[in-house]
Amino acid sequence: MTSSITSQVMKELSFYGTKIVQKNLAVGPGGNISAREGKTMWISPSGLALDEITEDQWVAVDIETGHYQHPTLKPSSEIAMHLYIYRKRPDVNAVVHTHPPVTIAVISSGYDEIPFMFPDHVALVGKLSSIDYVVPCSEELAQAVIQSITPSSTGLLLKNHGLITIGSTFKQAYYRTELVEDAARVFWMAKLMGTPRILTGEEAGEILGLEAEKYRQKLLDTKLGG
């Protein structure tokens, strides 16, 4: 029998899977997403578009062993990449892998990163590393990804392939994907208009300092409140 927590996880996955397709962050059966529930990872099945997956079609995978359970469906072929992230980062509860077109275009045109041009990109995503093209759905890709994910990473840029974002909640991981694609679009449009005005290291540092101060204040308010 499905627990209320499990039901909520699958409902959230279906909700954000639909948003991903609606926002043109993945097309057809492309992209894959997952969420952690205790020792279990719920991941999108192979061969289905993210917006057509019903709540009973998410595949349960044991994070430690990699064994999966579903009466009729197999997990995404990128299963190893998701498992390795959860094993390495116990703070991560959601992984979003998409194929956002503008992001792919920018990082596959000689750029190793999406430059900072507005505060939210700095504060909510931060600097993302990138890796060169590796064949999708391979152990080589999973290894390349996990070697590039650090304790502070919020995601990873995959040249000629796509984007991975992670978070403590699915909403956080999803919005990081939206922000990266938006940042890529802003940079692309700025290049068309002229010379992009990139935020300096000092300006980015000030934004991060503001976020740190807001976090400290939130902790203080919580303690004072009880």
Side-chain angles (χ1 to χ4, degrees), residues 50-218:
L50 292 175
D51 63 343
E52 64 181 355
I53 303 171
T54 59
E55 291 176 24
D56 62 345
Q57 290 180 317
W58 299 95
V59 180
V61 184
D62 185 297
I63 293 174
E64 183 178 351
T65 66
H67 295 155
Y68 69 89
Q69 293 184 350
H70 195 281
T72 58
L73 298 169
K74 294 181 179 181
S76 165
S77 54
E78 300 280 22
I79 180 175
M81 183 172 71
H82 290 253
L83 284 174
Y84 293 173
I85 292 173
Y86 289 123
R87 290 170 184 170
K88 183 174 183 177
R89 291 281 301 274
D91 59 310
V92 169
N93 293 312
V95 176
V96 176
H97 171 46
T98 55
H99 303 153
V102 185
T103 297
I104 295 173
V106 171
I107 63 174
S108 305
S109 301
Y111 296 94
D112 291 327
E113 62 183 8
I114 310 294
F116 291 143
M117 292 191 66
F118 56 90
D120 280 359
H121 184 198
V122 180
L124 303 179
V125 179
K127 182 177 175 60
L128 296 185
S129 299
S130 63
I131 61 173
D132 290 333
Y133 176 77
V134 182
V135 177
C137 310
S138 64
E139 176 64 19
E140 289 77 14
L141 175 61
Q143 290 294 338
V145 166
I146 202 59
Q147 288 169 17
S148 300
I149 295 286
T150 70
S152 60
S153 296
T154 60
L156 185 66
L157 301 165
L158 313 178
K159 294 183 179 181
N160 299 99
H161 184 165
L163 169 69
I164 298 169
T165 57
I166 57 181
S168 59
T169 66
F170 205 93
K171 179 185 284 188
Q172 183 183 58
Y174 168 75
Y175 280 130
R176 282 173 171 161
T177 294
E178 271 202 355
L179 271 168
V180 172
E181 178 69 350
D182 196 41
R185 185 177 294 107
V186 168
F187 178 65
W188 167 50
M189 293 173 68
K191 289 282 288 183
L192 291 176
M193 297 295 291
T195 302
R197 197 281 189 183
I198 310 301
L199 294 176
T200 66
E202 182 179 356
E203 289 167 336
E206 289 173 349
I207 294 166
L208 292 174
L210 286 172
E211 286 300 303
E213 182 57 37
K214 284 166 61 178
Y215 179 70
R216 285 192 292 271
Q217 188 60 50
K218 182 177 180 180

Side-chain angles (χ1 to χ4, degrees), residues 9-21 26 28-34 42-60 70 73-76 97 170:
V9 169
M10 293 190 290
K11 186 175 296 185
E12 188 173 39
L13 283 166
S14 291
F15 174 76
Y16 283 108
T18 297
K19 284 180 72 71
I20 285 169
V21 175
N32 36 81
I33 60 178
S34 67
W42 293 93
I43 191 168
S44 48
S46 179
L48 294 180
L50 292 175
D51 63 343
E52 64 181 355
I53 303 171
T54 59
E55 291 176 24
D56 62 345
Q57 290 180 317
W58 299 95
V59 180
H70 195 281
L73 298 169
K74 294 181 179 181
S76 165
H97 171 46
F170 205 93

